[in-house]
Amino acid sequence: MTKIYIAYTGGTIGMKQTAHGWAPAPGYLAEQMAAMSELRHPSMPEYVIDEFDELLDSSNMIPSDWSRIARNIAAHYDAYDGFVVIHGTDTMAYTASALAFLLEGLDKPVVLTGSQIPLCEVRNDGRSNLVTSLLVAATQKIPEVTLCFGDRLVRGCRSVKVSADGFDAFDSPNFPPLGSVGVDIEIDWPLVRPAPAGGLKLDEIGHPIVGALRLFPGITAELARNVLQPPLQGLVLEAYGVGNAPERNAGFIAAIREAVTRGVVIVDCTQCLHGSVDLGDYSTGSVLARAGVISGYDMTVEAALTKLVYLFGRGLSPDDVKLQMQLDLRGELTR
Ligand code: ASP
């Protein structure tokens, strides 16, 4: 029988109402799942639930939690056919992106899911997300980190949370979904990456200092300088349109140039949901390229940020980080 390892990290799906609002409660998700007769159906896989010692609202997640999930998967890798990570929706796209980078050589399915309404509510999306994710992990041999939510299955390192309250809360704006969830679960196999040879290799990462800065009209040089101060190693610059910035703000551009000269890797991503950065298109973009900013192409901010953590976390030099940031490592960017 197919065996699935469930890493339960927290999130709305297993939450209970408390005096301060919804919060995860130890053992509660397992209790709810034990009462779901559909999980005992013969078509369902066998599963074990490994519950985090401290269940988290995903707003509390930090990069060491990504490493912890990756280590749990690696430790159980040979004994299971597939993996489901139950996670809060708020930062699920970051964790999905981070796991894609951390789990190098992955050749088994890892599916992240959660819900907008807890399982304990009569009307909820957790039930179907859970059943579908378990089935995907058990029956679809997708050698990738994916995110299964509502009506679609998307590549983890392309995922973005697009709705705070809708059931189809995640999208993959710059890459087609890997699958659709309707009457049938249909996988678009030509889009799925081939299983890499060599087996799983988990990279331990340190604690690099990276950040993100969203441009807005009126942003000052002083603000940029403050953000770019040492010990910052990498920054995702969320720029306008195809990657443009206020060229006429000489102080701002100087702050960027100075940081690049100090070795800070600045990656330009667009604030737009769809489309790619092209720093050669406008004078307001090429000014950044001349200052040493690199293009993030069509990477999501979530993928760019977690990729910086992954690369700097492995001790790569700024030049190597720059090089790798512009390469497609896990299907996260199109050039
Ligand atoms: N705040 C919750 C979390 O991200 C939201 C959810 O799970 O939907 O953990």
Side-chain angles (χ1 to χ4, degrees), residues 11-12 15 56-59 88-90 115-116:
T12 293
M15 287 191 185
L56 296 174
D57 182 304
S58 74
S59 302
T89 60
D90 288 347
S115 71
Q116 296 277 35

Side-chain angles (χ1 to χ4, degrees), residues 44 111 127-138 148 150 181 185:
M44 294 303 291
V111 186
R127 223 164 243 280
S128 56
N129 285 348
L130 198 53
V131 170
T132 307
S133 298
L134 281 166
L135 283 172
V136 168
C148 181
V181 179
I185 299 171

Side-chain angles (χ1 to χ4, degrees), residues 69-78 83 103 200-202:
I69 301 168
R71 272 199 304 273
N72 279 355
I73 291 173
H76 297 89
Y77 198 67
D78 293 335
F83 303 82
L103 297 169
L200 184 72
K201 180 172 163 284
L202 178 63

Side-chain angles (χ1 to χ4, degrees), residues 242-262:
V242 287
N244 304 324
E247 183 187 13
R248 292 175 65 176
N249 185 339
F252 172 82
I253 301 296
I256 296 278
R257 191 180 305 107
E258 283 159 28
V260 171
T261 310
R262 283 200 315 272

Side-chain angles (χ1 to χ4, degrees), residues 250-315:
F252 172 82
I253 301 296
I256 296 278
R257 191 180 305 107
E258 283 159 28
V260 171
T261 310
R262 283 200 315 272
V264 179
V265 175
I266 305 183
V267 187
D268 190 304
C269 286
T270 177
Q271 292 181 8
C272 301
L273 194 53
H274 296 273
S276 184
V277 163
D278 180 354
L279 294 179
D281 217 7
Y282 290 87
S283 167
T284 47
S286 70
V287 69
L288 290 175
R290 285 196 304 280
V293 172
I294 58 167
S295 175
Y297 299 93
D298 62 348
M299 263 189 296
T300 62
V301 169
E302 290 85 338
L305 187 112
T306 55
K307 195 172 171 182
L308 279 175
V309 171
Y310 168 67
L311 296 173
F312 273 120
R314 284 164 59 220

Side-chain angles (χ1 to χ4, degrees), residues 3-72:
K3 277 165 60 184
I4 302 298
Y5 173 86
I6 300 179
Y8 171 36
T9 70
T12 293
I13 191 165
M15 287 191 185
K16 235 180 183 170
Q17 192 60 265
T18 71
H20 306 288
W22 293 103
Y28 193 52
L29 178 92
E31 214 179 280
Q32 307 279 316
M33 285 176 65
M36 284 170 64
S37 58
E38 58 269 53
L39 296 182
R40 293 190 293 277
H41 189 272
S43 62
M44 294 303 291
E46 201 180 291
Y47 64 85
V48 298
I49 307 174
D50 192 352
E51 183 172 298
F52 260 38
D53 294 342
E54 199 189 0
L55 293 169
L56 296 174
D57 182 304
S58 74
S59 302
N60 286 316
M61 285 256 174
I62 55 174
S64 58
D65 294 313
W66 307 333
S67 296
R68 182 148 54 124
I69 301 168
R71 272 199 304 273
N72 279 355

